[in-house]
Amino acid sequence: MMVASETPTALGDLFVLDLSRILAGPTATQLLGDFGATVIKVENPKTGGDDTRGWGPNYVKDTNDKATDLSAYFMCANRNKQSIAVDISTPEGQETVRQLAARADVVIENYKPDGLVKYGLDHATLRAKHPGLVYCSISGFGQFGPNRDQPGYDLMAQGYGGIMSLTGDPQGAPTKVGVGIADVMCGMYATIGILAALRHRDATGEGQHIDLSLVDAQMSWLINEGMNFLTSGENPERRGNAHPNIVPYDAFAGSDGHVLVAVGNDAQFKRFCDIIGRPDLGTDTRFATNTLRIEHRDALIPEIRATLEEFTTQEILEKLQSVKVPVGPINTVSEALLSDQAQARGTVISVPAKDFAGGKLQLLANPLKLSRTPVQYRRPPPRFGQDTDAVLETLKHPKPPK
């Protein structure tokens, strides 16, 4: 659903200069754009723009049924932006970026540490001229530390940061999360940091540099498993879909597929055992509390698996829902995005885009729902460099007042 342009926005007075590419930085700037910020995405004409424009399949087709530079990957993090083609390795390109930075509230980049110093576009140089500028740098390992010069991709961050040691089948290989979650979470932290720095800037006039790394962000969301190690000194085990601190909490096979069961407390466990026809498990002293169920996990879980295999997945869902025991399906992506829940919540949006087949683009929506300043989908993901002339024309005119 398109939001009317007169709807108030939370960040409508913000100007964001986006020097980032791939996923972490673009995730952050897309979030800012969703809430009204003007986002100018600078793309390299030597490479045809953001790397992800070439990360297909799949690609949106134009009205002549030809593939465009809008890959599905690129579109996931680049709506509500204007794209300009600028070669920052040239003096002309550097001057263009400096002029844009002079108008910006925020600059965000994900070059290697000190990678922009030779162009005079690093945080120290720009903030010396514009002390109110909020400048966010995203890198693999951060601006300092022994690994600062190593490149960082989501896969490497998941490996270095520990999450892969916890993900996958206990008997199988360490496994990454199926999407670039380290990048996405880093982008979310970047957004939070930028908004906090802007709050400080608005109060004091003072900008600042935000130093954020994929690995730092990934380690921060080890959450309970990170704390399990810090508390016990023991490495957490890979448990597949099972939970280290709650039993039973896992994927279980029915006769025709799998369901998820998450028994959160002792009262739920008693109801669970009764409804599946195993009251004996509910009265067994070995399983009376969650702590005991963890201790005797290896005895309990096979009993539950053998019992649930006698029911269809629909029977399991209906039985457990009837007694308010947390249970749920394992949907495919299509089942999730086409579900009645997703439709009711507006999980998929349709954005008008007259130059493409069908005259519209389907995108994943921003999940935030604000009552007074809702998300606005003002611009579909841009073609490479499509706004270059229009943006450069604005530089010929005085900086508009805030």
Side-chain angles (χ1 to χ4, degrees), residues 30-351:
Q30 177 170 269
L31 288 170
L32 297 173
D34 282 353
F35 287 104
T38 296
V39 181
I40 306 299
K41 182 179 180 70
V42 176
E43 300 193 70
N44 186 353
K46 290 181 177 178
T47 62
D50 191 309
D51 303 44
T52 62
R53 288 187 182 275
W55 288 9
N58 298 291
Y59 297 94
V60 171
K61 293 184 178 180
D62 63 19
T63 53
N64 295 315
D65 203 37
K66 292 184 178 180
T68 70
D69 62 355
L70 292 190
S71 70
Y73 202 116
F74 176 82
M75 290 195 298
C76 78
N78 285 288
R79 65 171 170 256
N80 284 332
K81 302 178 186 182
Q82 300 173 65
S83 168
I84 63 173
V86 176
D87 184 356
I88 67 170
S89 69
T90 67
E92 296 80 11
Q94 293 158 25
E95 179 57 25
T96 295
V97 173
R98 279 192 285 269
Q99 290 181 45
L100 289 168
R103 301 185 176 212
D105 299 282
V106 177
V107 172
I108 183 166
E109 57 89 9
N110 63 347
Y111 286 75
K112 293 178 182 178
D114 296 335
L116 293 175
V117 171
K118 60 185 176 182
Y119 303 132
L121 303 176
D122 56 295
H123 74 93
T125 301
L126 292 183
R127 286 192 57 247
K129 295 180 179 180
H130 312 292
L133 185 66
V134 172
Y135 191 109
C136 179
S137 296
I138 296 175
S139 60
F141 289 87
Q143 301 298 302
F144 59 88
N147 294 332
R148 74 184 290 269
D149 294 322
Q150 293 189 25
Y153 277 82
D154 179 273
L155 179 63
M156 282 65 184
Q158 290 197 38
Y160 194 96
I163 193 67
M164 283 181 66
S165 74
L166 305 175
T167 306
D169 188 281
Q171 308 306 318
T175 305
K176 74 177 184 67
V177 178
V179 296
I181 191 65
D183 271 322
V184 170
M185 286 300 298
C186 187
M188 290 184 175
Y189 279 117
T191 305
I192 295 168
I194 288 167
L195 293 176
L198 288 169
R199 175 88 178 196
H200 175 77
R201 191 278 310 268
D202 292 345
T204 67
E206 179 184 44
Q208 59 185 299
H209 184 216
I210 300 168
D211 170 12
L212 181 60
S213 88
L214 292 177
V215 169
D216 288 351
Q218 199 269 268
M219 289 185 185
S220 76
W221 53 263
L222 288 173
I223 50 172
N224 59 299
E225 287 287 50
M227 290 306 301
N228 282 338
F229 165 71
L230 293 175
T231 303
S232 69
E234 298 178 2
N235 263 318
E237 299 177 22
R238 189 161 65 250
R239 296 187 181 278
N241 295 307
H243 198 288
N245 305 110
I246 306 172
V247 174
Y249 186 111
D250 209 333
F252 292 91
S255 61
D256 60 346
H258 288 78
V259 296
L260 299 173
V261 177
V263 176
N265 58 52
D266 298 339
Q268 287 181 5
F269 180 68
K270 181 68 166 56
R271 298 199 302 273
F272 169 73
C273 294
D274 289 344
I275 199 67
I276 66 171
R278 293 299 305 272
D280 57 305
L281 298 178
T283 57
D284 192 315
T285 56
R286 294 175 298 170
F287 313 137
T289 67
N290 186 63
T291 300
L292 288 170
R293 291 194 292 277
I294 293 172
E295 182 180 348
H296 298 287
R297 180 195 302 261
D298 291 343
L300 174 61
I301 295 302
E303 293 290 335
I304 294 175
R305 292 197 185 284
T307 300
L308 292 182
E309 285 176 352
E310 299 175 4
F311 302 103
T312 67
T313 55
Q314 187 60 35
E315 288 172 337
I316 297 170
L317 289 168
E318 291 175 356
K319 283 178 177 293
L320 270 58
Q321 287 169 353
S322 72
V323 293
K324 300 188 184 310
V325 172
V327 63
I330 302 175
N331 287 331
T332 63
V333 172
S334 64
E335 288 170 336
L337 295 183
L338 299 177
S339 67
D340 54 359
Q341 176 69 16
Q343 292 180 39
R345 296 289 290 175
T347 302
V348 177
I349 57 168
S350 181
V351 179

